[in-house]
Amino acid sequence: MALVVQKYGGSSVSDVDAMRRVARRIVATRKAGNTVVVVVSAMGDTTDELLDQAAALTSDAPAREMDILLSAGERISMALLAMAVGELGVPARAYTGAQAGVLTDSKYGKASIVGVLPERVARSIQTGAVAIVAGFQGINEVEDTTTLGRGGSDTTAVALAAALNADVCEIYTDVDGLFTADPRIVPTAKRIESLSSEETLELAAHGAKILHLRAVEYARRFGVPLHVRSSFSDKTGTWIYDGRRQGAFVPSVVATQLDDVVAADIATPGSPATPASPASAITPASSASQGNSPAAAAPPSNPAGLDDGPSAAAVDTAHRNAIAARAQARPRPSAKEDHVEAPVISGIAHDRSQDKITLVGVPDVPGAAARIFAIVAGTDANIDMIVQDVSAEGTGLTNISFTCPSGDSATARAALESAREELGFRSLHFNPDIGILSLVGAGMRSNPGVSARLFGALSEAGVNIHMISTSEIRISVVVDDAALDEAVRAVHSAFGLDAQAAEAVVYGGTGR
């Protein structure tokens, strides 16, 4: 038996028939002897429809009320899915993010998780029920509903998996795992059997849509094994692991200690509680200090409105013991790369969500760049790539270009224009028609000639490069948006990533 957290995206629960299909998968996992917690997204395009309705009413919706509105989609999904699972003879309980103990800061629309206190979820699974949690949402310090931004359901699933010390977090989507490129652009893309968290972070940060960056970061920090697969098939997907390139790390520990939790439910109803440690949420700081084995949080005493049952403190003590035993027994892969002959390139990501801003005629003096990017930071804009030209001889002026998400570019431009006199630049050029291609692979560390092959492939395809950025395992280039698809296909072929026959099937059409 294992503790499994499963996350289902919007395309996986798009209608009633899809709900039934997902419910059958959940029940099959439960009947195989596993303890199951489910995180679910809003059905299909529900979130977009809610955004459209709000836009029809106001052009300046309050962020707090928008979070209340947008959280409704996941609440609908969790309730319907709990009903579908119940119809198959397995008890299921639905919980909002707040009820599941997902605690966040107060940045409405893009809140960050600051702690997880999954008492009610733990109580459900201890009694044999499936806990179904609304993804994408939590509650802040003033008890307002908050949403986590794009990819928030992925992050919810990983956070719960970390807090419960799950054996695996399964991310279900509408394709059979991660591929060497987007199969919508490269039909011959290959499925990646296993990938390091480091490579996955680079792919997610540069346009790969199957997993969200924040979820991968969270999983890496807390040692949560991820399995990305399709809810439309039974194919093995992609395992994301921490360290070795030798296949995937598939957890196989039997979590028999959870029987202690069930025994506590039966043996101690109404009896005095065994003393437990003070209540505390699972936070990055507290869990990080315990390495890759975060402990479950101690819940508070049973507050009004919760289900009647055994002492929360007694249940928590048993739950802590079970989690600690499972964490100690679980093998951890080495951080050492065991196979230096692994493929040089793991995959190619592309991103159309960035704009390019260029400041022309910036004084080439110490502190100029610092002032520019302090102003940009003040708008909460996230910057991806930065390039500064060599100062033109005799002018003392240079050009600085950077890319940022399309949603951030308008405020960044306005702030820079308002500070033109202070910054002393001559003009601001804006280009929204760009795309970013990123080549990712840990094998780059020990294989020369990767850059030459990349630039050679782009040259042969007639693709011009505007900007270049590199890391130890990534090379990114900015090209014209119109040339991006052709660039991806050319580079994919140049590095021998093409499969002989199409392997990818896009079941739902969205990739999420």
Side-chain angles (χ1 to χ4, degrees):
M1 183 175 71
L3 199 165
V4 179
V5 174
Q6 298 180 334
K7 178 265 178 177
Y8 293 93
S11 60
S12 298
V13 292
S14 57
D15 53 33
V16 171
D17 289 338
M19 286 276 186
R20 292 194 180 106
R21 182 181 62 249
V22 166
R24 289 193 293 270
R25 185 182 291 272
I26 293 168
V27 169
T29 305
R30 179 67 185 84
K31 289 185 175 180
N34 300 298
T35 301
V36 185
V37 175
V38 176
V39 174
V40 66
S41 297
M43 298 173 65
D45 298 323
T46 299
T47 301
D48 289 335
E49 292 169 359
L50 292 172
L51 285 168
D52 291 341
Q53 291 175 24
L57 293 172
T58 177
S59 60
D60 187 23
R64 178 183 178 277
E65 277 59 42
M66 283 298 296
D67 274 9
I68 295 173
L69 172 67
L70 296 181
S71 67
E74 281 72 18
R75 296 183 183 215
I76 293 170
S77 293
M78 74 177 192
L80 291 175
L81 188 56
M83 295 174 193
V85 170
E87 279 295 297
L88 297 178
V90 173
R93 298 295 304 273
Y95 297 100
T96 66
Q99 291 170 332
V102 180
L103 313 176
T104 77
D105 60 23
S106 293
K107 294 181 180 178
Y108 298 105
K110 51 180 179 180
S112 295
I113 295 175
V114 298
V116 180
L117 190 68
E119 180 210 355
R120 298 186 71 179
V121 172
R123 288 164 64 89
S124 286
I125 61 178
Q126 287 157 12
T127 58
V130 173
I132 300 179
V133 178
F136 176 64
Q137 61 189 257
I139 187 171
N140 65 14
E141 67 275 10
V142 295
E143 299 186 357
D144 280 344
T145 295
T146 55
T147 62
L148 306 180
R150 181 178 175 273
S153 293
D154 288 355
T155 308
T156 302
V158 174
L160 279 171
L164 296 167
N165 202 52
D167 291 279
V168 64
C169 180
E170 298 182 327
I171 305 293
Y172 285 94
T173 180
D174 58 11
V175 292
D176 295 316
L178 292 172
F179 285 78
T180 50
D182 188 339
R184 297 163 183 80
I185 293 178
V186 185
T188 54
K190 296 179 182 177
R191 182 179 61 82
I192 304 171
E193 293 185 2
S194 59
L195 200 62
S196 73
S197 57
E198 184 181 19
E199 292 166 303
T200 308
L201 277 171
E202 291 284 11
L203 288 169
H206 293 88
K209 297 179 181 179
I210 303 303
L211 267 176
H212 194 261
L213 176 63
R214 289 167 63 186
V216 181
E217 289 174 335
Y218 209 116
R220 186 183 189 188
R221 176 179 300 178
F222 293 107
V224 178
L226 298 178
H227 189 192
V228 183
R229 56 194 309 197
S230 173
S231 64
F232 296 83
S233 77
D234 292 323
K235 296 179 181 178
T236 299
T238 301
W239 280 92
I240 297 165
Y241 58 97
D242 212 4
R244 297 182 302 195
R245 296 187 64 86
Q246 183 179 357
F249 166 52
V250 183
S252 59
V253 176
V254 177
T256 55
Q257 291 82 6
L258 281 179
D259 293 339
D260 297 338
V261 176
V262 178
D265 276 349
I266 297 172
T268 60
S271 64
T274 302
S277 55
S280 60
I282 300 300
T283 63
S286 62
S287 295
S289 66
Q290 302 173 34
N292 286 330
S293 301
S301 59
N302 193 22
L306 295 189
D307 301 332
D308 293 334
S311 162
V315 172
D316 177 63
T317 298
H319 190 58
R320 280 174 173 270
N321 292 339
I323 285 176
R326 181 166 61 251
Q328 291 170 4
R330 179 185 298 162
R332 294 293 178 182
S334 167
K336 178 182 177 182
E337 282 192 20
D338 295 327
H339 287 265
V340 296
E341 298 301 324
V344 176
I345 300 303
S346 297
I348 300 170
H350 72 278
D351 187 2
R352 284 191 163 90
S353 67
Q354 301 274 327
D355 293 339
K356 177 185 172 185
I357 296 174
T358 300
L359 299 182
V360 178
V362 177
D364 192 5
V365 296
R371 290 195 297 273
I372 289 170
F373 292 109
I375 290 172
V376 175
T379 68
D380 286 332
N382 291 314
I383 295 174
D384 183 13
M385 300 171 65
I386 302 173
V387 171
Q388 180 172 335
D389 297 342
V390 175
S391 179
E393 186 175 354
T395 67
L397 301 176
T398 186
N399 301 333
I400 296 179
S401 298
F402 65 91
T403 63
C404 65
S406 299
D408 296 340
S409 61
T411 53
R413 287 159 51 204
L416 289 169
E417 286 285 12
S418 65
R420 179 187 292 205
E421 184 175 344
E422 173 195 346
L423 298 173
F425 64 87
R426 291 180 174 176
S427 61
L428 184 151
H429 295 176
F430 174 63
N431 183 2
D433 299 320
I434 63 164
I436 301 177
L437 179 152
S438 296
L439 196 64
V440 176
M444 290 184 190
R445 294 185 175 114
S446 55
N447 287 269
V450 173
S451 298
R453 191 186 305 183
L454 168 63
F455 300 138
L458 293 174
S459 175
E460 290 178 9
V463 177
N464 187 44
I465 299 172
H466 298 293
M467 299 172 67
I468 302 170
S469 174
T470 64
S471 74
E472 190 176 21
I473 65 169
R474 172 189 53 81
I475 304 174
S476 295
V477 295
V478 174
V479 301
D480 291 331
D481 180 48
L484 183 58
D485 289 2
E486 180 58 32
V488 171
R489 287 189 287 267
V491 173
H492 196 269
S493 296
F495 282 89
L497 299 177
D498 291 335
Q500 293 184 352
E503 296 181 6
V505 177
V506 182
Y507 300 93
T510 66
R512 290 200 62 78

